Amino acid sequence: MTDVRIAEKKVWVGETAISLISGEMHYWRIDPHNWRPALERVRDMGIKTVATYACWDFHQIADGEYDFTGETDPRRDLVGYLELLTEMGFWIIFRPGPYIYSEWKNGGVPDEAVKLHRLSSEFQALAEPYMAAVTEATKPFLASKGGKIILWQPDNEIDAWPHLYAEAIGLGKSVGLFHDFLREKFSTVSALNEAWRTHYATFEDARAVSEMFRDEAVLLARYNDFRSFLHWYANQVASWGVEVYRGLGVDVPIILNAYSGVSTQLWRDFEAIGDLVGSDIYPSREYLYRAGEQRHLLEAVRYARTFSKVPYVAEFEAGIWHDWLDDVGTFTPNHYRLICYGALLAGAAGWNWYMLVNRDNWYQSPINEWGRIRPPLFNAFKGITTLFETLDPTTLEKISDSALTFNPLQRSTVRPGQDLLLSFYDADIDYEFFDTDGNLTDKPIAFYAGGSWLSERGQRRLLAYIERGGHLVCIGVSPIQDEHLRPLNLLDIAEPDGIISGALGKATLKLFGQYTVESAWWHNYDDAVGEPITIERLSYLNQPSEELALQFSLQEGLRYTVGYSVERMQGRITVIGLQATPALLLALHDHFGVTVACRSRVSGVSSALFRRGEDFYVIATNDGNEAKATLFEIAAGVMAAGRWQVENLDTHEVANMTISNGRGVIPVMMARKDGVVLRLYQD
């Protein structure tokens, strides 16, 4: 027996370390004669690990009968495919389901099974014989037994599918699993009634609110529990799948995958149930079709970093399903460089390209079904693979002193804090997330990126962070209610006496007597606790007309107290009632002495600074639709004074930079929709 484990952001087979950069190829969708030519091209790309599903619906030839050796159809020769992968030296990520989706009929399960939701005893009774059969056929290939399978995935993007199984799971007019969840969460009907403002006699009387279209606090309190139920359901399915496969003898690490957001699955819980979790990310062409896509990719990776052994993208776009072509467009080499450099910038330590090889209804991959390449795409993928190996992101230390809170339930429902998140992105201030349901962050400053409600557990985690010496900053909004919108203010946040409108756009303000910021509104405190935070109104920068110049000048010089900063336990809390903007965030970092290790002086460029040993690395992307000449500013005190070499790891060009008592500056020309990785070292 060989020990297979996850450690140091890699998979280890005995003493062999395997970085998780891989590509997907689905054997049963490709003529078996083309398996070897396609895999030879995968190997030419530098990829050493291949992922594949196994399809229950295709391998089941009759009730309780399965073909895994190709007796009825050569495309069913799963064993032969695994033997070929083994012969060619590939490590394997195996994803047998029962559900695989894979753009296959019924998501990969037979007709009789798809009529039943995943947690029904009938579904599980149908699935478990298949699970036993596929395990028996592939168990010799486990890395623990001398084979090549290093990760095993027991299901795919586990989802209750409430729009399809509403009555079966108790979300409509019928009683079902939703009521079991409520009973487990609230224990008594009276506790449920208090949270929901209802008067039910039994749990069975409760009805779900599974859609929010009215701005009502009472409905939102119930909608939050619907979202919590989806998390609960997904956890139950994951636990069942892991338990079944473990019982069948699967002793390699188990991976679970999830959507790119947390509205359906709780990633942190998935990793606790299995061994590793990864999200599935599919951006549109160069982020052109959907707003905020790069920011959302960065946020997904940053959230994974709060808990995961390997910040990992379980399915990272490489080509696209034909039904999504209109949504994402035609991919370019730049597209793949942009999204991969973005993942590295955010701190990803691995990903699985889905699909690395085309198949029947999947296009634009770098390798087609016959094992032929699309040279521009293939070369881009090969270059990224080479860069990944050179950079080795598993060994990099990310340098950032800032954190933003992340609460999965908030992000599942109202998605608060978007202005703050966008302002951090636009200011190019790198940060990590602080999961208020998880571990405490060790960052010296944390910004509250939530809404006016936060669970008691979440509020207590914020208190624990402050008690340990952290500095919590609330900009514009603070948690003063629990998740059922009942009053709860454990942070003892002082409410403002009023809110003043800047009117006609943003008013220009002087903050702390030093920084110029803009805000469309601000809080007003008559008596602030601790140290008052004040602003002074300046003249309007963009007066709409000359005729009203006198009226606009009437407000100049007025002063307001817009917040306060007060020591609390071993730490500090700052409450500031202004609109979040990049200028405000930079002012707060400077005022409180928090280092921004690296940032671009040109907008539209995102960057992060990493360290390994005595070397530093700048990873950056240009999300703009035009080339940009930017300057990366390295903060004072981050790197040792002296002469540094700056090597572009793509072009291998080397330039010089000098770090003195001031800040180091690196000039870089960045192509449109592309990225760059710079190695900074001293001779």
Side-chain angles (χ1 to χ4, degrees):
M1 296 295 291
T2 303
D3 180 37
V4 185
R5 66 195 188 281
I6 299 173
E8 301 172 11
K9 299 182 182 178
K10 299 180 177 74
V11 176
W12 292 78
V13 178
E15 298 304 312
T16 300
I18 304 160
S19 293
L20 284 177
I21 180 169
S22 60
E24 191 109 3
M25 176 174 152
H26 292 166
Y27 60 94
W28 79 101
R29 324 288 279 276
I30 299 172
D31 188 320
H33 292 96
N34 294 324
W35 290 352
R36 185 181 292 274
L39 289 171
E40 286 173 347
R41 293 307 180 94
V42 172
R43 187 166 55 189
D44 291 343
M45 189 184 287
I47 294 296
K48 301 178 178 67
T49 303
V50 171
T52 185
Y53 288 124
C55 183
W56 175 12
D57 180 63
F58 186 63
H59 283 289
Q60 180 172 289
I61 57 177
D63 287 347
E65 295 183 34
Y66 310 95
D67 179 5
F68 297 112
T69 58
E71 293 180 8
T72 58
D73 186 324
R75 293 177 302 158
R76 291 193 173 104
D77 191 5
L78 167 60
V79 171
Y81 182 61
L82 296 179
E83 288 174 341
L84 177 60
L85 288 171
T86 302
E87 174 205 322
M88 297 182 72
F90 287 103
W91 298 105
I92 303 166
I93 299 172
F94 189 48
R95 314 206 288 163
Y99 267 104
I100 61 169
Y101 301 177
S102 184
E103 302 75 48
W104 188 268
K105 184 190 73 169
N106 297 342
V109 305
D111 290 351
E112 63 270 21
V114 79
K115 299 172 185 177
L116 307 161
H117 70 87
R118 279 172 162 102
L119 273 185
S120 71
S121 57
E122 296 92 341
F123 175 86
Q124 294 178 357
L126 290 171
E128 287 181 9
Y130 160 73
M131 297 164 77
V134 74
T135 303
E136 183 64 25
T138 58
K139 193 183 298 185
F141 296 95
L142 294 175
S144 57
K145 295 174 173 56
K148 289 290 189 174
I149 294 176
I150 57 173
L151 292 177
W152 186 287
Q153 184 176 303
D155 209 312
N156 187 69
E157 295 176 343
I158 299 170
D159 190 344
W161 286 344
H163 54 299
L164 301 176
Y165 298 108
E167 291 302 325
I169 60 179
L171 296 177
K173 59 186 179 180
S174 304
V175 174
L177 286 173
F178 179 64
H179 301 85
D180 295 339
F181 159 76
L182 293 178
R183 190 176 291 106
E184 181 178 307
K185 177 173 183 175
F186 291 103
S187 298
T188 66
V189 176
S190 60
L192 171 66
N193 285 330
E194 180 188 358
W196 282 20
R197 287 81 150 175
T198 50
H199 300 87
Y200 297 132
T202 68
F203 279 107
E204 287 70 23
D205 296 332
R207 294 294 177 266
V209 172
S210 57
E211 189 67 48
M212 275 301 297
F213 57 91
R214 297 205 312 258
D215 186 14
E216 284 187 35
V218 172
L219 292 182
L220 181 58
R222 295 168 62 176
Y223 181 67
N224 284 347
D225 280 327
F226 160 71
R227 283 293 169 189
S228 293
F229 165 70
L230 296 187
H231 293 160
W232 177 89
Y233 184 99
N235 286 350
Q236 298 291 317
V237 175
S239 297
W240 163 73
V242 170
E243 180 181 348
V244 169
Y245 278 121
R246 288 293 188 219
L248 292 168
V250 174
D251 54 5
V252 297
I254 286 184
I255 182 173
L256 294 159
N257 65 332
Y259 299 146
S260 59
V262 294
S263 61
T264 302
Q265 303 98 2
L266 269 181
W267 303 0
R268 184 188 62 253
D269 286 0
F270 268 20
E271 183 146 323
I273 292 167
D275 297 286
L276 179 66
V277 68
S279 58
D280 298 348
I281 299 178
Y282 294 89
S284 68
R285 170 181 172 164
E286 298 176 347
Y287 305 134
L288 292 173
Y289 293 7
R290 308 174 190 135
E293 284 191 279
Q294 168 155 292
R295 176 167 69 87
H296 297 152
L297 185 157
L298 302 183
E299 290 171 7
V301 175
R302 284 178 173 128
Y303 174 53
R305 286 173 58 84
T306 65
F307 64 85
S308 186
K309 303 178 190 72
V310 185
Y312 180 67
V313 183
E315 292 182 12
F316 207 12
E317 181 175 67
I320 205 66
W321 181 33
H322 67 74
D323 275 13
W324 288 348
L325 281 170
D326 289 342
D327 294 332
V328 301
T330 303
F331 297 137
T332 64
N334 266 17
H335 168 79
Y336 291 117
R337 286 170 51 87
L338 181 64
I339 66 174
C340 291
Y341 282 39
L344 292 171
L345 183 163
W351 59 71
N352 174 49
W353 273 311
Y354 186 104
M355 302 282 301
L356 206 56
V357 180
N358 273 8
R359 53 170 169 71
D360 50 85
N361 57 2
W362 195 273
Y363 321 122
Q364 301 189 64
S365 301
I367 304 169
N368 72 16
E369 300 91 323
W370 299 278
R372 300 168 192 157
I373 65 170
R374 298 180 65 190
L377 295 184
F378 182 88
N379 291 336
F381 277 74
K382 185 173 182 177
I384 294 166
T385 303
T386 301
L387 174 68
F388 187 99
E389 292 181 345
T390 301
L391 185 64
D392 190 4
T394 67
T395 62
L396 295 179
E397 174 195 355
K398 206 163 191 276
I399 303 173
S400 172
D401 284 343
S402 305
L404 269 66
T405 64
F406 186 107
N407 181 264
L409 183 58
Q410 289 179 340
R411 297 276 291 199
S412 299
T413 54
V414 295
R415 292 182 60 82
Q418 294 302 305
D419 285 348
L420 182 66
L421 290 160
L422 179 59
S423 295
F424 264 87
Y425 180 78
D426 288 345
D428 188 26
I429 301 175
D430 190 28
Y431 65 88
E432 300 282 20
F433 272 128
F434 167 20
D435 183 355
T436 55
D437 286 342
N439 296 326
L440 297 182
T441 181
D442 60 358
K443 303 303 178 186
I445 193 167
F447 292 80
Y448 181 64
S452 61
W453 59 263
L454 179 65
S455 69
E456 180 178 349
R457 171 180 168 78
Q459 292 194 33
R460 292 196 181 281
R461 299 303 286 169
L462 295 181
L463 280 173
Y465 166 71
I466 297 168
E467 183 176 22
R468 210 166 72 171
H471 182 179
L472 180 69
V473 179
C474 299
I475 299 178
V477 64
S478 308
I480 55 174
Q481 300 170 303
D482 70 7
E483 73 272 29
H484 294 111
L485 284 75
R486 297 172 295 194
L488 183 67
N489 187 1
L490 298 183
L491 296 174
D492 195 24
I493 302 293
E495 286 289 286
D497 295 290
I499 300 176
I500 297 171
S501 171
L504 298 174
K506 292 184 177 180
T508 309
L509 313 166
K510 187 69 76 175
L511 176 66
F512 298 125
Q514 182 180 359
Y515 309 98
T516 300
V517 299
E518 291 183 311
S519 186
W521 48 264
W522 54 88
H523 291 174
N524 177 49
Y525 290 84
D526 293 336
D527 297 298
V529 299
E531 303 167 19
I533 297 174
T534 60
I535 58 167
E536 178 186 346
R537 290 201 64 168
L538 304 178
S539 59
Y540 274 93
L541 294 179
N542 299 300
Q543 291 185 21
S545 63
E546 184 180 356
E547 291 83 356
L548 296 176
L550 177 59
Q551 287 93 327
F552 280 106
S553 69
L554 295 176
Q555 304 298 312
E556 292 177 23
L558 290 177
R559 294 175 179 271
Y560 296 92
T561 297
V562 296
Y564 60 89
S565 186
V566 62
E567 291 185 0
R568 195 74 65 79
M569 297 170 283
Q570 297 299 311
R572 175 172 291 273
I573 183 167
T574 295
V575 177
I576 184 166
L578 291 174
Q579 189 174 20
T581 63
L584 175 61
L585 297 178
L586 290 169
L588 291 174
H589 279 76
D590 185 61
H591 179 75
F592 290 115
V594 181
T595 299
V596 179
C598 173
R599 64 179 298 268
S600 166
R601 289 183 181 175
V602 174
S603 63
V605 175
S606 300
S607 64
L609 185 67
F610 297 80
R611 174 171 48 212
R612 177 172 54 232
E614 297 181 352
D615 292 354
F616 290 80
Y617 296 83
V618 174
I619 305 178
T621 60
N622 172 18
D623 189 22
N625 209 22
E626 64 288 320
K628 293 179 179 176
T630 188
L631 297 172
F632 292 110
E633 188 174 275
I634 307 297
V638 174
M639 296 169 59
R643 180 186 172 100
W644 288 77
Q645 307 299 309
V646 180
E647 179 189 6
N648 185 317
L649 291 187
D650 273 323
T651 65
H652 300 293
E653 296 173 340
V654 179
N656 296 321
M657 175 185 68
T658 299
I659 299 287
S660 61
N661 292 332
R663 305 177 179 208
V665 175
I666 309 171
V668 177
M669 188 69 194
M670 297 192 66
R672 64 166 292 281
K673 297 290 185 181
D674 205 347
V676 66
V677 179
L678 306 174
R679 176 187 171 222
L680 316 179
Y681 62 96
Q682 289 183 304
D683 293 332

